Amino acid sequence: MINFLFRGLIRDKQRSLFPIIIVAAGVMMTTWLFSWMLGVFNEIIEGGARFDTGHVKVTTRAYNEIASQMPNDLCLTEVHTLLNELDKDYPGYDWTPRIKFAGLADVPDENGETRAQAPVMGFAVDLLSDHSIEDERLQISKSIVRGSFPNSAGEIVISDELAQKLEVGIGETITLISVSANGGMAIHNFTLSGTVTFGMGALDRGAMIADISDIQYALDMENATGEILGFKKNLVFDQEQAVSIKEEFNKKMSNTEDEYSPYMITLLDQNGLGEYLVFAQAAGFLIVGIFVFAMSIVLWNTGLMSGIRRYGEVGIRLAMGETKSHIYKTMLVEAFLIGLMGSFIGTVIGVAGGYYFQEYGMDISGAFKNSTMMVNDVVRAQVTFTSYYIGFIPGVLAMLFGTAISGIGIFRRQTATLFKELEV
Amino acid sequence: MTNEELIIAQDLSKDYPIGGDFFRALDGINLSVKQGEFSGIIGPSGSGKTTLLNIIGALDTPSDGSVNVLGNKVENMTHTESANLRNNFLGFIFQTYNLLPVYNVYENVEFPLLLQKIEKLQREEMVMQALEWVGLTNKAKSRPSQLSGGESQRVAIARAMVKKPKIVLADEPTANLDADNSHHILKTMVKLNEELNTTFLFSTHDEKVISYLKRKIMLNDGKLVDDILVN
C-alpha cells in the first residue's frame, strides 16, 4: 500500500512537488537563518570576549564598579600569586592579565617636538611570554598590515588607520602619554614594530597593543594588572560553568568589606551581554516558532486545496470500502513522506548556504562604521549539529500538522451522498 | 443459480429533513434479491432509486424498517463494519467511472485488492483475469486519460469485479456512453453475471439497460409499484 501511495505521490506533481518546494523553502530559510544568527550572535559574544570581557574576568571590587573608566588606580596587586591560584583551582581555563588604558599617542619629529598626536585606546597583553597564546587569541600576527609582530620589549603595534593618521612609519618612536596607577603623568617611548587591521571599527580607529610588562613599567603597575581574563580552553563559552566558577571564586576570595579584594564576573555580567544572550536565544526560538506557525497555515491551506482536488478520489475510496481512518492515515503517511523529502532538501541547501557564509562571511563594516562595539567587520554563519535538525523537524511536523487539520474533513464526509457526488 | 437471498428489505423507509419537515424518499419498501440476479431499480428521477442503492450499499442507513445485506443489518452497522462489507462483498460502478487519474489501468483495478491485503502474485493474477473479462489486457499500462469512455467504464467494471464481490451495485452505468458502448458494457456485465454468478443490481431509467434486465423493480415516489420477472 505504501508503494502504491508513493507511486501516486510521485506522479501527481501538485500533490508532491508543490508541497515539497514549500517545505524545502521554509526549512532552508530556517536552517540558514539559524546558522547565520548563531554565527552573528556568537561572533559578537566571542569578539567581545577576546578583546574585552573574557569568558570570566577578575578585577577588584572597586574596579568592577567603574570598569568603563579603566580605573587602573584600583588595580589588582600580587598578580603572580593570584594567577597561580587561578591556574591551580580552575585548570580548564586559560588565565591572562590585561591592562586597558587610554592616552595620547605622540609622534615626535627629529627635534623631539610633537609632529602628530591622537587619542588612543590601549591594550596591554602578554605578547612576549613563551607560553602566551594572546597573539593567536587576538589574531595580531594574522592582522599585520605593515611591519611585524613585536619581538622585544618596547615594541608596539597600532591600528593601520591610526598609523596613517599619525603619518608614522615602522621603526619610528611613538610616545604614550597617559596616567599612572598612582595618578601621576606617565610618559613612555615605544617603537612601532607593525600596524594591524583588527576588522573591528572601534579598534581600527585608534588602538594600540603593547606587551603587558612594558605597560606595567610605564604605568607603575609592577606585579599588578587591571584585569585577569579567563578563557575556557576549548574556546567555547560555557554559561553554566562560568557562573559556577564565579560563585565559587567570589565566595572564597572576595570580601564585600574590602573594595580591593578580587571579584569575578562572567561575560554575561558585562556590556549587557547577559540580556543579549537571552535575546539571542529568544530570537532563535521565535524564528522556529514563526516558521512552524506560518508553514502550518500554508500547508493546511495546501492540504485543503488538495482535499478539494482529491474529493472524487476520497469518495471512490470510501465507496470501495476503505475506512475514513485508513484514508486519514494514508494522507498522514503521504504528508510525512513529503515533509521528509522537503525537509531533507531544505536542510541540505540551508546547511550548504550556512557553510558558504561560514567560509566567506559577509562584510558588515558599513553598518558599524561609527560604532564602538567590538564587532568583526566580516560576520560569519556558524553551522552546528543543531543546524541539521532545527528546520528539519519543524518541516516534517508542519506538514503533518497541516494535513492532520485539513484531513479532518474526511471524517465529516457523508457516504450517503457519494453516488450523487461521484456523478459529477 | 441458488435461491439464497442476499438482500432483504422489510418496511424500509427513508426520510430526509427539509427545513422543519421531512421528505420521505423511500416509503415501506419490501424487497428481496437472490444470488445471481440481474436486476434493476427503475423509475423516474426522484423516485428513490439511488437512495435505495445507497442503503443496500451500506452507504446510508434507513430511517425505519430493516435492510439485511449478506446477513448484516445495515441499520445497526458502524462505519467500519459497513466499510468492511463494501470492501469484501460489494462492488460499485458509477455513472462517471471515477478512475484514479494518476494510476494506470492495472493499478486502478489492483486498488481494491490492496485494501484487502492480498499478496502481490495473487493480486497480479486477479487483476489480469479481471482485465481479461472486460477485454482490456492490452491497456493495462494506459492512464485513464488515454482511454475512451467505453474503455474507462470497462476498467470500472474490472475494478468492481476483481475481488469477485457477491453483489455489484451500478448507478446509471451507461448514462455517459453511446449506444454501441452501452451494449458492449451491458453484454460484458451479463457475461460476468452468468459466468461468476455475481448479483447485479442497477439503478437506471435507461431503456438500453432495462432491456437487459431479468428483473425490473419499479419505484415511484419512494414506493415499490411493480416487480417484474423477465423470462
Side-chain angles (χ1 to χ4, degrees):
Chain A
M1 191 73 177
I2 293 289
N3 286 341
F4 187 83
L5 289 171
F6 195 70
R7 278 202 299 273
L9 203 58
I10 296 294
R11 289 175 196 166
D12 190 352
K13 300 282 185 287
Q14 289 187 50
R15 228 161 92 197
S16 52
L17 188 64
F18 183 56
I20 284 172
I21 289 172
I22 293 174
V23 173
V27 170
M28 180 196 72
M29 287 301 293
T30 307
T31 305
W32 182 82
L33 204 59
F34 172 81
S35 303
W36 173 252
M37 287 181 73
L38 186 71
V40 171
F41 290 149
N42 283 350
E43 181 53 47
I44 289 172
I45 288 173
E46 287 300 324
R50 286 199 305 273
F51 279 94
D52 186 19
T53 65
H55 291 155
V56 289
K57 181 193 276 187
V58 180
T59 63
T60 62
R61 282 185 163 274
Y63 183 104
N64 181 53
E65 292 292 317
I66 50 172
S68 61
Q69 296 175 27
M70 295 178 255
N72 286 324
D73 53 326
L74 303 173
C75 61
L76 292 162
T77 55
E78 301 299 329
V79 171
H80 294 311
T81 311
L82 187 53
L83 280 170
N84 285 338
E85 281 186 43
L86 286 166
D87 280 334
K88 191 180 76 182
D89 292 345
Y90 310 108
Y93 280 71
D94 186 48
W95 302 96
T96 186
R98 295 264 183 96
I99 298 172
K100 283 193 285 189
F101 58 94
L104 279 174
D106 186 286
V107 181
D109 61 14
E110 61 273 14
N111 301 318
E113 302 292 332
T114 298
R115 189 180 82 203
Q117 207 173 56
V120 290
M121 180 167 64
F123 294 89
V125 301
D126 186 1
L127 295 178
L128 301 175
S129 299
D130 291 339
H131 63 273
S132 173
I133 58 165
E134 288 284 70
D135 176 29
E136 187 186 329
R137 185 176 291 132
L138 299 174
Q139 301 193 333
I140 300 168
S141 293
K142 284 185 185 170
S143 309
I144 295 284
V145 178
R146 289 182 287 148
S148 61
F149 184 80
N151 288 318
S152 56
E155 290 187 344
I156 57 167
V157 291
I158 64 172
S159 68
D160 196 59
E161 200 177 315
L162 176 65
Q164 285 177 31
K165 196 166 21 175
L166 293 171
E167 295 178 347
V168 61
I170 305 301
E172 285 195 70
T173 299
I174 293 178
T175 304
L176 171 68
I177 304 168
S178 187
V179 181
S180 75
N182 301 315
M185 179 178 274
I187 300 174
H188 195 83
N189 285 339
F190 292 95
T191 303
L192 182 64
S193 72
T195 66
V196 292
T197 297
F198 295 97
M200 293 183 181
L203 297 180
D204 282 330
R205 279 192 292 279
M208 164 193 281
I209 296 182
D211 183 58
I212 193 158
S213 300
D214 289 338
I215 296 299
Q216 281 173 328
Y217 177 72
L219 303 185
D220 292 333
M221 293 173 70
E222 277 83 7
N223 201 16
T225 187
E227 306 169 345
I228 295 173
L229 269 52
F231 294 92
K232 199 153 187 296
K233 282 187 174 162
N234 67 3
L235 301 177
V236 178
F237 175 62
D238 182 337
Q239 183 177 342
E240 204 174 317
Q241 191 182 49
V243 171
S244 164
I245 288 175
K246 176 184 101 167
E247 286 169 358
E248 187 185 314
F249 178 87
N250 290 338
K251 195 174 172 187
K252 180 181 166 190
M253 303 288 287
S254 197
N255 179 358
T256 50
E257 302 298 317
D258 179 4
E259 64 177 358
Y260 289 98
S261 66
Y263 182 68
M264 188 183 281
I265 53 176
T266 72
L267 68 78
L268 300 176
D269 303 318
Q270 304 171 66
N271 305 342
L273 285 176
E275 290 82 359
Y276 175 80
L277 203 67
V278 170
F279 168 77
Q281 284 166 348
F285 282 117
L286 199 64
I287 288 170
V288 176
I290 288 171
F291 163 71
V292 174
F293 182 71
M295 291 302 287
S296 295
I297 289 176
V298 171
L299 293 169
W300 176 20
N301 186 52
T302 306
L304 285 173
M305 296 301 288
S306 173
I308 292 166
R309 216 171 56 81
R310 298 174 70 188
Y311 201 72
E313 180 198 325
V314 171
I316 195 75
R317 287 168 66 176
L318 285 170
M320 280 198 283
E322 193 171 354
T323 59
K324 289 176 178 177
S325 60
H326 189 261
I327 295 174
Y328 188 64
K329 279 179 205 163
T330 59
M331 285 191 160
L332 290 180
V333 170
E334 282 183 20
F336 180 71
L337 292 174
I338 289 168
L340 215 58
M341 281 193 276
S343 296
F344 176 76
I345 293 166
T347 300
V348 168
I349 299 172
V351 167
Y355 273 120
Y356 178 84
F357 280 95
Q358 183 171 291
E359 184 67 24
Y360 299 105
M362 184 187 283
D363 189 345
I364 56 160
S365 55
F368 288 88
K369 203 161 51 183
N370 300 312
S371 169
T372 55
M373 275 179 75
M374 290 187 188
V375 182
N376 268 344
D377 288 348
V378 177
V379 289
R380 296 168 194 282
Q382 189 178 346
V383 178
T384 64
F385 178 67
T386 310
S387 308
Y388 286 88
Y389 66 79
I390 193 79
F392 190 94
I393 293 173
V396 176
L397 291 181
M399 188 67 209
L400 270 176
F401 184 60
T403 306
I405 295 174
S406 59
I408 289 170
I410 291 167
F411 292 100
R412 300 205 186 104
R413 187 88 179 255
Q414 297 292 319
T415 54
T417 55
L418 278 179
F419 271 118
K420 285 288 170 206
E421 287 169 6
L422 295 172
E423 278 173 16
V424 179
Chain B
M1 192 181 288
T2 71
N3 283 327
E4 189 188 349
E5 290 178 325
L6 303 185
I7 303 164
I8 303 165
Q10 291 176 315
D11 297 325
L12 166 65
S13 295
K14 180 69 185 178
D15 296 327
Y16 289 113
I18 296 178
D21 209 350
F22 285 95
F23 167 72
R24 177 146 284 201
L26 293 174
D27 190 0
I29 302 284
N30 285 292
L31 174 75
S32 72
V33 177
K34 291 174 183 162
Q35 185 173 352
E37 282 193 16
F38 199 80
S39 323
I41 305 163
I42 301 162
S45 291
S47 60
K49 302 186 298 288
T50 303
T51 304
L52 183 55
L53 215 60
N54 268 335
I55 294 172
I56 292 169
L59 293 167
D60 203 356
T61 50
S63 305
D64 281 311
S66 172
V67 176
N68 189 313
V69 178
L70 299 164
N72 301 282
K73 280 189 179 294
V74 172
E75 61 272 21
N76 296 334
M77 292 169 81
T78 63
H79 164 73
T80 307
E81 286 167 344
S82 53
N84 285 337
L85 176 69
R86 289 197 297 275
N87 186 13
N88 293 311
F89 302 109
L90 304 182
F92 287 86
I93 299 169
F94 300 92
Q95 183 179 319
T96 49
Y97 334 129
N98 286 295
L99 302 179
L100 303 176
V102 294
Y103 295 106
N104 62 32
V105 166
Y106 180 94
E107 290 161 338
N108 264 283
V109 177
E110 184 189 25
F111 187 65
L113 304 179
L114 286 168
L115 292 178
Q116 293 187 334
K117 297 186 171 67
I118 290 172
E119 291 296 317
K120 193 184 175 193
L121 278 176
Q122 196 187 345
R123 250 183 5 239
E124 204 173 307
E125 199 177 302
M126 292 170 80
V127 171
M128 291 316 290
Q129 188 183 39
L131 289 177
E132 208 173 299
W133 290 335
V134 295
L136 282 176
T137 47
N138 59 332
K139 297 276 185 180
K141 298 291 174 196
S142 301
R143 291 283 182 87
S145 57
Q146 298 168 309
L147 303 176
S148 68
E151 286 171 334
S152 295
Q153 193 60 303
R154 278 150 67 196
V155 175
I157 293 168
R159 182 177 64 185
M161 291 301 299
V162 70
K163 58 189 178 185
K164 295 180 182 165
K166 291 270 187 189
I167 304 165
V168 170
L169 303 172
D171 188 30
E172 306 281 10
T174 55
N176 287 346
L177 300 177
D178 57 30
D180 284 348
N181 270 311
S182 295
H183 286 298
H184 190 170
I185 293 293
L186 287 161
K187 280 175 186 166
T188 304
M189 289 196 269
V190 168
K191 188 181 79 175
L192 291 168
N193 166 251
E194 287 170 353
E195 286 179 6
L196 303 173
N197 200 25
T198 306
T199 304
F200 278 78
L201 186 59
F202 294 82
S203 151
T204 187
H205 52 49
D206 182 348
E207 287 300 329
K208 293 188 290 295
V209 178
I210 294 168
S211 67
Y212 281 84
L213 297 177
K214 293 171 186 166
R215 182 183 175 192
K216 298 169 188 175
I217 301 158
M218 317 288 282
L219 286 190
N220 198 13
D221 290 336
K223 291 182 176 153
L224 200 158
V225 291
D226 210 348
D227 192 344
I228 306 163
L229 280 173
V230 181
N231 290 320

